[in-house]
Amino acid sequence: MMSAHSYPDFRFRLFPLILAALALAFYPMDKAANAQAADETAKRFNHLPLVADGEGIQSTLLITNVADSVNSCSLVFLANQLDANDFETHDRLRQSGTGTTVDLPSSGSHVSMVSRNGRTLAADSATLDCAEPVVARVLITLSAGGALQTAATLPSAETGAKFSFPVIPRVGGNFLIARNQHASGVNCGVELLDESGVVVAERSHAFPASTTIARNLAELVRMPPAFGGGSATVTCDRQVAATGLLAGAALSGLPPVVLSGESTAITPTAPPDLVVDSASVSDDTLEAGQAFTLRATVRNTGDGQAGNTTLRY
């Protein structure tokens, strides 16, 4: 049974609810509806940073119309690695020349484009240019033996010249996913900062024209062995579209914060200079199917640090 001392407290909590109900009853319904804020991530132009298909990886493009009217979008894949034919047929997709049109007939209309899961891995990025705002996402899933292993949702990339995102080594590895949409190269500087904001490592990179990069932060800047966490800042001399991915026990989209849209001059670091020394083979008179050993030493004779390198024979 409720004690006498609990009644005042009960009335005190209930009274604001009664006032709110009365206020809503006399509040015009059209104004109440308009008070609902639209999704702040909605845009007319979306840059989908990473779309991949094959070898157990599937992408699903999730597009929702948040406009109060009929809407349509032009979907363009940028690197010619994927196109609409790599996705399952959807009744709201129309082929238009070399591009694809996405029809969204009403507010709340939704399209889920699922890739077909090809045998070889193909990765691309895409743009979605709409007549009215939409919310766009890319869902990446990885399966093995028919069982889902992990998944991540990547939001539409942000465009700017300076970005910051958290770095948490104990959780997983950070990946920077960026698209250089320009017809010439872009120079970017990467700084690694500890929790107190002190720069502990930095390096500059030149990214080729019209390319999408997906690089582990450890490839972009040398991380000190004792680094426990902090943030990374990426500053470019031209605007790029960028987002992040955290890969650990699970995948997670990690969109960076746009610090500036203004381009900044980047001083390039000294380049590496890789040379192959002492190449030798155990047997140079081989027959078909015969095994042999090939040895080679790669040295960096330049002044700059070299990133991950593949040596092909």
Side-chain angles (χ1 to χ4, degrees), residues 250-310:
L251 297 177
S252 176
L254 193 68
V257 176
V258 179
L259 299 179
S260 175
E262 298 296 327
S263 303
T264 303
I266 304 298
T267 302
T269 57
D273 185 7
L274 302 180
V275 297
V276 178
D277 281 345
S278 308
S280 64
V281 65
S282 61
D283 190 345
D284 58 4
T285 57
L286 300 172
E287 297 180 358
Q290 180 180 342
F292 67 98
T293 301
L294 181 62
R295 294 183 176 88
T297 301
V298 178
R299 291 191 303 113
N300 181 7
T301 62
D303 295 326
Q305 175 188 344
N308 289 354
T309 303
T310 300

Side-chain angles (χ1 to χ4, degrees), residues 17-214:
L17 298 178
I18 296 175
L19 287 178
L22 290 173
L24 184 59
F26 289 99
Y27 194 70
M29 290 306 295
D30 58 336
K31 290 185 179 179
N34 290 337
Q36 177 66 41
D39 192 320
E40 293 182 355
T41 63
K43 307 178 203 174
R44 290 181 56 189
F45 184 84
N46 288 267
H47 197 119
L48 307 176
L50 180 63
V51 184
D53 179 62
E55 297 182 1
I57 295 176
Q58 278 187 290
S59 291
T60 303
L61 308 187
L62 305 170
I63 306 165
T64 303
N65 181 22
V66 297
D68 295 327
S69 60
V70 175
N71 201 351
S72 65
C73 306
S74 174
L75 176 66
V76 178
F77 291 92
L78 301 175
N80 297 320
Q81 298 299 308
L82 295 170
D83 58 35
N85 295 321
D86 295 304
F87 290 78
E88 296 176 1
T89 302
H90 199 293
D91 58 2
R92 290 182 179 168
L93 301 182
R94 290 184 291 112
Q95 289 298 112
S96 176
T98 58
T100 301
T101 299
V102 181
D103 292 323
L104 300 165
S106 61
S107 178
S109 297
H110 182 80
V111 172
S112 299
M113 293 177 57
V114 184
S115 65
R116 297 183 183 275
N117 197 6
R119 287 182 292 180
T120 58
L121 181 63
D124 210 325
S125 59
T127 57
L128 190 69
D129 194 355
C130 304
E132 300 292 339
V134 300
V135 174
R137 302 282 190 272
V138 178
L139 175 65
I140 302 286
T141 60
L142 173 62
S143 301
L148 178 66
Q149 301 296 311
T150 188
T153 302
L154 297 177
S156 175
E158 298 292 339
T159 300
K162 187 174 184 179
F163 307 87
S164 176
F165 54 89
V167 180
I168 316 171
R170 67 181 182 277
V171 175
N174 284 83
F175 285 79
L176 171 68
I177 304 170
R179 172 71 184 180
N180 173 17
Q181 65 270 33
H182 304 289
S184 57
V186 169
N187 295 311
C188 297
V190 182
E191 292 181 332
L192 186 67
L193 298 84
D194 63 18
E195 293 287 2
S196 61
V198 176
V199 176
V200 297
E202 57 185 327
R203 191 179 172 199
S204 63
H205 297 269
F207 298 127
S210 305
T211 57
T212 298
I213 66 163

